[in-house]
Structures are given as structure tokens and as C-alpha cells.
Amino acid sequence: MKPIYHIGRYFLLIKRVFSKPENLKVYFNQFLYEVNSLGIGSLGLIAIISIFMGGVITIQSAYNFTSPFIPRYAIGLGTRESIVLEFSPTIVSLILAGKVGSNIASEIGTMRISEQIDALEIMGINSAGYLIRPKILAAMFINPFLITISMFLGVFGGFLFGVFSGACDAEKYIFGIQSFFIPYNIVYALTKTVIFAFIITSVSAYHGYYTSGGALEVGRASTKSVVYNSIIILVTNLIITKLMLV
């Protein structure tokens, strides 16, 4: 019965989060702050990971595409498809679940145990809406931009490392990333990104909001948020793929 209890409490929290806001200006300012904190603050990590993973995918593709019947431009094509369909929207979201999710859970959890949330409630402020809504909206707004940048840098990293390592030719790689492009794949990837952004922020906020105890419990809430985010993202990824691609 415990999973059902947590699922019910999670949806009740989401209902509170999206209730009517008291002051739109305050929420908008908080939204801008969260866009910078959750999105821009993660850009450097995403850039480094995307460039090097693009290089790894390209070199591995070149290593495996050894048959003379497979054209060399397939390296660029395979790299593009791997990055657009799965690496950037899913793997990067899992990385954000670790970085952003743990940060949200620990931040809200610390506010809970230090009674700052109780103080907001006493002042008549909807603490769930004030603390969680801007984070969810900010992540759903900025994450598609981060994932788009990740796609570009991943393909660029594949070109950079593939050409300089001798794994592929520049001309054929560029031809490959331009060949057989399906715009719907971008729609699919960004749809996943928005859903994953909602999952990361809301699940992490749930674990932080209902933290009880001391500093040790905040650490446990942060760990739980990362674990549950990862599991839910992987399951949701399978469902979305089945619905949108099959």
C-alpha cells in the first residue's frame, strides 16, 4: 500500500502546486531565477558531456561499420540518429536528474527541516506553489533549449573527433548527418525532454517537500529523488517511444 500512498500524495501535491497563484509578479521573478539556476547553470556540464559522447559514438560507429557494403557516410548518419533520438533527450535528462534533481530535493528538504516552509504557510502563502511551480515551469521551458544545444554539440563533437582521429572523412560525415533527415525525430526528442523535465523537478520536489528529521534525512531524500527519477524516466521513455515511434 505504501507505493499507492506516495502516488496519491504526489498528485495531491501537484494539485497544490498548480493552484491559483497569489502574486504573478513574484512568481515570474522566481521563474527567471530558476531558469538561470536550473538551466544556464547546467550548460557547461551538458556541453562537455555532449562533445565527448559525440566523439565516442562516431569512433565506435566507424569501428563497427567495417563491411564494404556499408557506405562511409553511415557513420555520420548513425551518430546523428543516436544523438537526436536517444542520447541528448534521455541520457542528458538522466544526468540532469542527478545534478538538478538532487539540488532541488536538498534545497526544499533543508527548508522543510529548518521550518522555513512552515513559516510560509503561517504567512498564508501556498508554499508548494511558491517553491515548486517556478522550478517545474523553468525546467520545462529551458530544458528543450539545453537538449537542442546538446544535439548540436554532440554532432559537432562527432565530426571533430572523428575527423582528427581518422575514423571518418569530413565530407562523408557531413553528407551523412544531412542524409535521410526526418523532422519528426526532433519533435519526438523535444516532447520527451519536456516530459522528463516535469518528472525531474516534480519528483525531486516531492521528496524534498516531505522530508522529516534532520540533515541525514535531507541526504536520503536527495538520493531517493535521483533513484526514482532515473527509474521513472526510463519507464516513461519506453512508453513514449512505443506511442510516438511504433
Side-chain angles (χ1 to χ4, degrees):
M1 296 298 293
K2 205 168 184 180
I4 297 176
Y5 167 77
H6 284 292
I7 292 172
R9 190 164 68 160
Y10 168 79
F11 282 107
L12 288 175
L13 177 64
I14 295 301
K15 181 181 177 182
R16 285 188 60 198
V17 167
F18 288 100
S19 60
K20 186 178 179 180
E22 295 89 354
N23 189 325
L24 287 176
K25 183 179 179 180
V26 172
Y27 280 86
F28 181 71
N29 292 336
Q30 192 67 16
F31 167 80
L32 295 178
Y33 170 80
E34 297 296 348
V35 166
N36 179 67
S37 175
L38 302 179
I40 308 303
S42 303
L43 184 58
L45 176 64
I46 291 174
I48 293 172
I49 292 173
S50 299
I51 290 173
F52 283 95
M53 282 304 299
V56 170
I57 292 172
T58 300
I59 294 171
Q60 287 182 347
S61 298
Y63 175 78
N64 287 290
F65 294 166
T66 56
S67 172
F69 298 103
I70 301 177
R72 297 305 291 173
Y73 71 80
I75 297 172
L77 175 62
T79 300
R80 184 199 71 200
E81 293 299 286
S82 297
I83 290 173
V84 170
L85 290 174
E86 201 59 29
F87 170 74
S88 288
T90 304
I91 305 303
V92 171
S93 292
L94 287 171
I95 294 168
L96 290 174
K99 180 183 182 297
V100 174
S102 61
N103 179 62
I104 291 174
S106 60
E107 176 187 338
I108 297 179
T110 301
M111 295 183 71
R112 169 62 74 184
I113 66 171
S114 61
E115 300 182 350
Q116 295 180 54
I117 293 178
D118 296 331
L120 290 173
E121 295 287 350
I122 291 172
M123 290 188 292
I125 298 173
N126 176 9
S127 60
Y130 177 74
L131 296 174
I132 302 173
R133 183 194 290 125
K135 297 181 188 299
I136 294 176
L137 296 180
M140 293 176 70
F141 170 77
I142 197 63
N143 278 24
F145 292 98
L146 296 179
I147 298 305
T148 303
I149 293 171
S150 172
M151 292 177 186
F152 171 79
L153 292 177
V155 172
F156 175 74
F159 171 81
L160 194 66
F161 288 104
V163 171
F164 281 98
S165 67
C168 61
D169 298 327
E171 183 179 352
K172 291 181 179 178
Y173 182 89
I174 294 174
F175 179 77
I177 63 176
Q178 294 175 333
S179 301
F180 310 107
F181 176 69
I182 303 174
Y184 179 74
N185 289 347
I186 301 295
V187 176
Y188 161 76
L190 296 183
T191 300
K192 289 202 302 183
T193 299
V194 172
I195 295 173
F196 293 161
F198 178 85
I199 292 171
I200 292 168
T201 47
S202 62
V203 172
S204 301
Y206 169 79
H207 283 94
Y209 193 81
Y210 289 111
T211 300
S212 60
L216 184 61
E217 295 301 320
V218 173
R220 288 176 179 171
S222 178
T223 302
K224 284 181 181 179
S225 72
V226 176
V227 172
Y228 284 108
N229 272 326
S230 300
I231 294 172
I232 295 171
I233 285 173
L234 292 173
V235 173
T236 306
N237 183 44
L238 178 62
I239 295 171
I240 294 174
T241 302
K242 176 65 177 176
L243 293 175
M244 296 187 69
L245 292 186
V246 179

